[in-house]
Amino acid sequence: MSAPADIAHPRGIRSYVLRAGRCTAAQARALAQLGPHFIIPWDEGCADLAATALAAARAAGHECRRVVLEIGFGMGQATAHMAAHMPDTLIIGCEVHPPGVGALLRLIDEGQLGNIRIVQHDAVQVLAHMCAPGTLAGICILFPDPWPKKRHHKRRLIQSAFARLAATRLAPGGWLHCATDWQPYAEHMLEVLSAEPLLANAAGTADGYAPHPAWRPETKFERRGLRLGHGVWDVAFVRRG
């Protein structure tokens, strides 16, 4: 599936940096033993990732009714927490770093979390080429790199082209939830997402920021931010019907 013609997708600019971190022995074992069961290979020809993943989960005995895509799950703690709090929802996590994928696979095994699948690939390409329009119940982006220097702002994930792409992949009423501990990025997120006609702010607050949802745990990035005296901002939007 190709990206819609009106959605820019600059392949040369990434919102992440590929780190050279090595997997631990336990993470490597998890990748080898559990990866074939929970990792969905990148496939530009996949017509509908949500339907494919739901069918695989149901075949494995897990009756999930909807799909939420998490972008950049790090070491997977929030993903596992979300899956435990949403047992009827299939969480598909996108992450490019093998140690993080191995760490989440270990959490899946420890928690017997059958409602998680992983795509080890660039999430923007996954959204553009593997996700059919209107098929996701939610998209979750927790503490993406804020790229604080002005010359790096072009690398920020939340841009107008991404907002349009994400909105088209959400079902009517589907949600997009972001969190950051960097106030200028929070302001940028709010501005960009508010400008997307397909999205409506779901916060119901005067400042436009959402309360911390129960399904989102306090991550290490959040704890670090609070320790440094930063605030934490949640931004929540829904796809208009």
Side-chain angles (χ1 to χ4, degrees):
M1 177 184 300
S2 61
D6 62 339
I7 295 175
H9 185 220
R11 290 176 182 268
I13 299 176
R14 290 181 174 143
S15 62
Y16 58 88
V17 174
L18 283 169
R19 299 186 299 271
R22 297 178 61 183
C23 289
T24 65
Q27 290 165 355
R29 280 196 303 273
L31 283 163
Q33 297 171 5
L34 302 173
H37 301 287
F38 294 99
I39 295 177
I40 298 174
W42 156 251
D43 180 4
E44 193 168 342
C46 176
D48 188 340
L49 175 62
T52 299
L54 280 172
R58 288 167 179 161
H62 303 284
E63 288 299 322
C64 299
R65 296 186 294 169
R66 62 186 68 84
V67 172
V68 167
L69 184 76
E70 183 182 11
I71 294 177
F73 58 72
M75 301 305 282
Q77 292 93 341
T79 317
H81 184 93
M82 197 185 331
H85 278 70
M86 303 179 181
D88 62 348
T89 299
L90 181 64
I91 312 297
I92 300 179
C94 287
E95 179 57 65
V96 295
H97 301 290
V101 175
L104 178 55
L105 287 167
R106 293 190 67 203
L107 292 173
I108 290 172
D109 188 45
E110 292 168 5
Q112 295 298 292
L113 299 170
N115 60 326
I116 297 176
R117 293 297 183 275
I118 298 168
V119 181
Q120 192 175 338
H121 196 75
D122 183 321
V124 175
Q125 292 190 26
V126 171
L127 272 174
H129 299 288
M130 292 183 71
C131 294
T135 56
L136 299 176
I139 298 173
C140 177
I141 308 167
L142 302 181
F143 301 94
D145 195 323
W147 294 103
K149 294 181 180 178
K150 188 173 182 179
R151 69 176 183 272
H152 292 153
H153 284 185
K154 63 188 177 185
R155 289 184 172 271
R156 287 176 170 174
L157 177 63
I158 309 301
Q159 307 284 4
S160 57
F162 173 83
R164 169 52 60 100
L165 174 60
T168 63
R169 272 39 183 175
L170 289 171
W175 51 268
L176 171 62
H177 193 104
C178 307
T180 181
D181 62 353
W182 191 261
Q183 186 173 4
Y185 197 16
E187 294 167 354
H188 172 83
M189 289 176 173
L190 199 58
E191 179 182 359
V192 168
L193 298 177
S194 295
E196 170 49 54
L198 293 176
L199 296 174
N201 194 313
T205 58
D207 62 4
Y209 295 108
H212 182 147
W215 54 261
R216 182 173 77 72
E218 187 180 82
T219 70
K220 69 175 183 179
F221 296 102
E222 187 168 0
R223 289 191 294 272
R224 182 197 65 186
L226 293 172
R227 223 174 24 246
L228 294 173
H230 300 169
V232 173
W233 293 266
D234 285 79
V235 177
F237 281 73
V238 295
R239 167 71 192 264
R240 297 182 192 273

